[in-house]
Amino acid sequence: MNEIIIELEEITPKEFFGAHNTNIELLKKYFPKLKIVARGNKIKAFGDEELLEEFDHRITMLLKHFAKYNKLDENVIERVLTSTSSDDYNTSQESGEVIVHGVSGRIIKAQTANQRKLVESMRKNDMVFAIGPAGTGKTYTGIALAVQALKSKAVKRIILTRPAVEAGENLGFLPGDLKEKLDPYMQPLYDALRDMIAPEKLAHYIESGTIQIAPLAFMRGRTLDNAFVILDEGQNTTHAQMKMFLTRMGKNAKFLLTGDPGQIDLPRRTISGLKEALLILKNVEGVGMVFLDDKDVIRHKLVKKVIEAYNSIENRES
């Protein structure tokens, strides 16, 4: 039986192996035909020569990643082990930096490779589509970038919007004025902002119009200059709504559109404006597109398993 020994030189075994050897267990999962043993500062692997070469290659990739980002977690390991090249998980050093310091000094930064790609894409393009399932940090990362742009005076205001799919007759029975009826649909946007801006300051920004949170219908007829604009839940826009929104872009504006094509709440036979826009704009210069997946999920670890379970069923049905 062939054997390979990898010695950890510039990284402590605990950091690389993970708590209770969780990272090593993950390696065993991806290389079930190899016998992998971690002792001291060495990893030994026994098995077929071809598999050992691949194992050595992947460990080298993991070591390089750790040297660059000083961090290894389950998401990183999975992405490195399943990628075809370093382009799939490596991004520039700048994109991994702190985006903004939130409330109580909370550090907010891109946590996964695709979130870092989103940060990079927003720096390079004025319009970016961030596509992926729930929990992948599309909106949260986008709002952090918007707050950063506002604080650095790169823009004068932040505009956050969502298509209020249920904002027609189904909201009529709810008590309160229009704002009170619509606020539940905007709640995820408020939640993210509360992590990043102190309550008094946030209230002032909203009162003065520096930060605006409104349903998509309120964008009609406006030209959005000097603004960082985020359209959230874009999969629930119609063709007309998406076209209306995209043509609101004014001078010195940044547009981020987020959505999950797998969670469309539109009436049957209504084409998603987001899906259509991705096809129409895919070759337009200045428009960036970043696709996040279940490996970017940063909520409870069960969320990732839920997404995988649903994907397996939906793939069988299609």
Side-chain angles (χ1 to χ4, degrees), residues 211-230:
I211 294 179
Q212 300 170 27
I213 304 174
L216 183 58
F218 285 32
M219 299 298 112
R220 193 173 299 280
R222 301 179 65 184
T223 301
L224 306 175
D225 294 325
N226 301 305
F228 197 118
V229 187
I230 299 177

Side-chain angles (χ1 to χ4, degrees), residues 115-142:
Q115 287 177 14
R116 289 192 288 271
K117 285 178 182 176
L118 173 54
V119 173
E120 274 187 34
S121 191
M122 282 305 316
R123 284 184 176 147
K124 293 175 184 173
N125 302 288
D126 287 336
M127 183 181 290
V128 175
F129 288 81
I131 309 302
T136 51
K138 312 177 292 293
T139 305
Y140 198 83
T141 304

Side-chain angles (χ1 to χ4, degrees), residues 239-258:
H239 163 87
Q241 286 175 324
M242 180 59 77
K243 185 180 177 184
M244 177 275 289
F245 175 76
L246 293 175
T247 53
R248 298 307 94 201
M249 196 173 201
K251 294 175 184 175
N252 190 39
K254 286 272 192 183
F255 269 38
L256 173 64
L257 301 92
T258 75

Side-chain angles (χ1 to χ4, degrees), residues 57-220:
H57 173 61
R58 297 292 173 177
I59 292 289
T60 301
M61 290 165 82
L62 286 169
L63 289 169
K64 284 182 179 177
H65 183 92
F66 186 88
K68 186 173 183 180
Y69 295 108
N70 221 27
K71 183 182 177 185
L72 268 187
D73 58 30
E74 186 178 337
N75 285 329
V76 168
I77 293 169
E78 285 189 3
R79 192 165 288 282
V80 170
L81 294 178
T82 56
S83 63
T84 53
S85 75
S86 61
D87 290 341
D88 292 342
Y89 62 89
N90 268 343
T91 47
S92 74
Q93 195 71 37
E94 291 79 16
S95 65
E97 291 172 356
V98 175
I99 300 173
V100 69
H101 288 88
V103 176
S104 302
R106 180 175 183 168
I107 291 173
I108 296 165
K109 61 194 288 188
Q111 296 186 46
T112 70
N114 282 329
Q115 287 177 14
R116 289 192 288 271
K117 285 178 182 176
L118 173 54
V119 173
E120 274 187 34
S121 191
M122 282 305 316
R123 284 184 176 147
K124 293 175 184 173
N125 302 288
D126 287 336
M127 183 181 290
V128 175
F129 288 81
I131 309 302
T136 51
K138 312 177 292 293
T139 305
Y140 198 83
T141 304
I143 290 177
L145 289 167
V147 171
Q148 179 196 57
L150 183 66
K151 286 186 172 183
S152 66
K153 295 184 168 53
V155 298
K156 292 181 180 176
R157 55 190 173 148
I158 295 172
I159 298 171
L160 308 176
T161 185
R162 278 182 151 194
V165 174
E166 299 291 324
E169 295 176 356
N170 293 342
L171 280 182
F173 68 90
L174 291 175
D177 59 20
L178 182 61
K179 182 183 182 299
E180 289 169 328
K181 290 178 180 182
L182 288 167
D183 270 358
Y185 295 91
M186 305 300 168
Q187 198 60 49
L189 307 179
Y190 285 111
D191 289 344
L193 285 168
R194 287 189 189 106
D195 279 353
M196 301 173 202
I197 303 172
E200 305 82 12
K201 190 77 171 172
L202 179 57
H204 169 70
Y205 278 150
I206 291 173
E207 226 173 275
S208 64
T210 303
I211 294 179
Q212 300 170 27
I213 304 174
L216 183 58
F218 285 32
M219 299 298 112
R220 193 173 299 280

